[in-house]
mmCIF file of all heavy atoms in Angstrom:
data_model
loop_
_atom_site.group_PDB
_atom_site.id
_atom_site.type_symbol
_atom_site.label_atom_id
_atom_site.label_comp_id
_atom_site.label_asym_id
_atom_site.label_seq_id
_atom_site.Cartn_x
_atom_site.Cartn_y
_atom_site.Cartn_z
ATOM 1 N N THR L 205 -12.276 -8.690 -11.173
ATOM 2 C CA THR L 205 -13.235 -9.267 -12.127
ATOM 3 C C THR L 205 -12.931 -8.737 -13.523
ATOM 4 O O THR L 205 -12.743 -7.525 -13.697
ATOM 5 C CB THR L 205 -14.676 -8.849 -11.744
ATOM 6 O OG1 THR L 205 -14.903 -9.169 -10.370
ATOM 7 C CG2 THR L 205 -15.709 -9.562 -12.621
ATOM 8 N N GLU L 206 -12.907 -9.633 -14.503
ATOM 9 C CA GLU L 206 -12.704 -9.151 -15.872
ATOM 10 C C GLU L 206 -14.023 -8.630 -16.434
ATOM 11 O O GLU L 206 -15.076 -9.230 -16.235
ATOM 12 C CB GLU L 206 -12.149 -10.270 -16.765
ATOM 13 C CG GLU L 206 -11.792 -9.724 -18.135
ATOM 14 C CD GLU L 206 -10.969 -10.672 -18.994
ATOM 15 O OE1 GLU L 206 -9.975 -11.207 -18.481
ATOM 16 O OE2 GLU L 206 -11.326 -10.848 -20.167
ATOM 17 N N ALA L 207 -13.947 -7.502 -17.136
ATOM 18 C CA ALA L 207 -15.162 -6.861 -17.675
ATOM 19 C C ALA L 207 -14.743 -5.972 -18.841
ATOM 20 O O ALA L 207 -13.565 -5.918 -19.213
ATOM 21 C CB ALA L 207 -15.827 -6.016 -16.586
ATOM 22 N N ASP L 208 -15.722 -5.266 -19.409
ATOM 23 C CA ASP L 208 -15.383 -4.261 -20.414
ATOM 24 C C ASP L 208 -14.777 -3.047 -19.721
ATOM 25 O O ASP L 208 -15.147 -2.743 -18.578
ATOM 26 C CB ASP L 208 -16.641 -3.835 -21.184
ATOM 27 C CG ASP L 208 -17.077 -4.915 -22.163
ATOM 28 O OD1 ASP L 208 -16.187 -5.647 -22.661
ATOM 29 O OD2 ASP L 208 -18.282 -5.041 -22.408
ATOM 30 N N PRO L 209 -13.883 -2.329 -20.387
ATOM 31 C CA PRO L 209 -13.342 -1.104 -19.782
ATOM 32 C C PRO L 209 -14.472 -0.102 -19.509
ATOM 33 O O PRO L 209 -15.480 -0.105 -20.214
ATOM 34 C CB PRO L 209 -12.394 -0.556 -20.860
ATOM 35 C CG PRO L 209 -12.087 -1.714 -21.751
ATOM 36 C CD PRO L 209 -13.289 -2.601 -21.718
ATOM 37 N N PHE L 210 -14.308 0.748 -18.497
ATOM 38 C CA PHE L 210 -15.308 1.787 -18.224
ATOM 39 C C PHE L 210 -14.654 3.167 -18.303
ATOM 40 O O PHE L 210 -13.437 3.307 -18.166
ATOM 41 C CB PHE L 210 -16.005 1.575 -16.877
ATOM 42 C CG PHE L 210 -15.109 1.796 -15.685
ATOM 43 C CD1 PHE L 210 -14.999 3.048 -15.094
ATOM 44 C CD2 PHE L 210 -14.378 0.744 -15.151
ATOM 45 C CE1 PHE L 210 -14.174 3.248 -14.000
ATOM 46 C CE2 PHE L 210 -13.557 0.945 -14.059
ATOM 47 C CZ PHE L 210 -13.447 2.194 -13.479
ATOM 48 N N LEU L 211 -15.473 4.172 -18.542
ATOM 49 C CA LEU L 211 -15.034 5.565 -18.716
ATOM 50 C C LEU L 211 -13.816 5.605 -19.656
ATOM 51 O O LEU L 211 -13.883 5.042 -20.728
ATOM 52 C CB LEU L 211 -14.783 6.231 -17.357
ATOM 53 C CG LEU L 211 -16.034 6.276 -16.448
ATOM 54 C CD1 LEU L 211 -15.720 6.899 -15.098
ATOM 55 C CD2 LEU L 211 -17.196 7.025 -17.119
ATOM 56 N N ASN L 212 -12.706 6.251 -19.261
ATOM 57 C CA ASN L 212 -11.599 6.351 -20.223
ATOM 58 C C ASN L 212 -10.638 5.161 -20.169
ATOM 59 O O ASN L 212 -9.583 5.174 -20.788
ATOM 60 C CB ASN L 212 -10.827 7.667 -20.023
ATOM 61 C CG ASN L 212 -10.031 7.676 -18.738
ATOM 62 O OD1 ASN L 212 -9.984 6.673 -18.022
ATOM 63 N ND2 ASN L 212 -9.400 8.790 -18.428
ATOM 64 N N GLY L 213 -11.002 4.133 -19.401
ATOM 65 C CA GLY L 213 -10.154 2.935 -19.328
ATOM 66 C C GLY L 213 -8.953 3.083 -18.415
ATOM 67 O O GLY L 213 -8.198 2.129 -18.225
ATOM 68 N N ARG L 214 -8.771 4.277 -17.830
ATOM 69 C CA ARG L 214 -7.626 4.523 -16.937
ATOM 70 C C ARG L 214 -8.078 5.320 -15.704
ATOM 71 O O ARG L 214 -7.333 6.134 -15.167
ATOM 72 C CB ARG L 214 -6.538 5.337 -17.647
ATOM 73 C CG ARG L 214 -5.924 4.673 -18.862
ATOM 74 C CD ARG L 214 -4.983 3.548 -18.450
ATOM 75 N NE ARG L 214 -4.213 3.049 -19.576
ATOM 76 C CZ ARG L 214 -4.670 2.179 -20.481
ATOM 77 N NH1 ARG L 214 -5.896 1.718 -20.391
ATOM 78 N NH2 ARG L 214 -3.889 1.759 -21.463
ATOM 79 N N THR L 215 -9.349 5.101 -15.303
ATOM 80 C CA THR L 215 -9.921 5.882 -14.207
ATOM 81 C C THR L 215 -10.041 5.042 -12.943
ATOM 82 O O THR L 215 -10.433 3.877 -13.009
ATOM 83 C CB THR L 215 -11.345 6.364 -14.598
ATOM 84 O OG1 THR L 215 -11.227 7.267 -15.692
ATOM 85 C CG2 THR L 215 -12.051 7.070 -13.446
ATOM 86 N N MET L 216 -9.728 5.664 -11.799
ATOM 87 C CA MET L 216 -10.127 5.087 -10.521
ATOM 88 C C MET L 216 -11.421 5.783 -10.128
ATOM 89 O O MET L 216 -11.445 7.006 -9.928
ATOM 90 C CB MET L 216 -9.083 5.316 -9.435
ATOM 91 C CG MET L 216 -9.527 4.697 -8.088
ATOM 92 S SD MET L 216 -8.530 5.182 -6.668
ATOM 93 C CE MET L 216 -7.006 4.377 -7.016
ATOM 94 N N ALA L 217 -12.503 5.012 -10.049
ATOM 95 C CA ALA L 217 -13.810 5.574 -9.718
ATOM 96 C C ALA L 217 -14.126 5.276 -8.259
ATOM 97 O O ALA L 217 -13.968 4.144 -7.804
ATOM 98 C CB ALA L 217 -14.879 4.973 -10.614
ATOM 99 N N VAL L 218 -14.548 6.310 -7.530
ATOM 100 C CA VAL L 218 -14.965 6.171 -6.133
ATOM 101 C C VAL L 218 -16.432 6.573 -6.071
ATOM 102 O O VAL L 218 -16.774 7.720 -6.386
ATOM 103 C CB VAL L 218 -14.127 7.085 -5.213
ATOM 104 C CG1 VAL L 218 -14.556 6.915 -3.758
ATOM 105 C CG2 VAL L 218 -12.639 6.813 -5.381
ATOM 106 N N LEU L 219 -17.306 5.652 -5.683
ATOM 107 C CA LEU L 219 -18.743 5.926 -5.681
ATOM 108 C C LEU L 219 -19.311 5.730 -4.281
ATOM 109 O O LEU L 219 -18.917 4.807 -3.569
ATOM 110 C CB LEU L 219 -19.499 4.977 -6.613
ATOM 111 C CG LEU L 219 -19.108 4.942 -8.079
ATOM 112 C CD1 LEU L 219 -18.135 3.826 -8.371
ATOM 113 C CD2 LEU L 219 -20.347 4.761 -8.955
#
Side-chain angles (χ1 to χ4, degrees):
T205 308
E206 186 168 312
D208 286 330
F210 69 90
L211 300 178
N212 70 4
R214 298 286 190 279
T215 295
M216 180 191 291
V218 181
L219 302 96

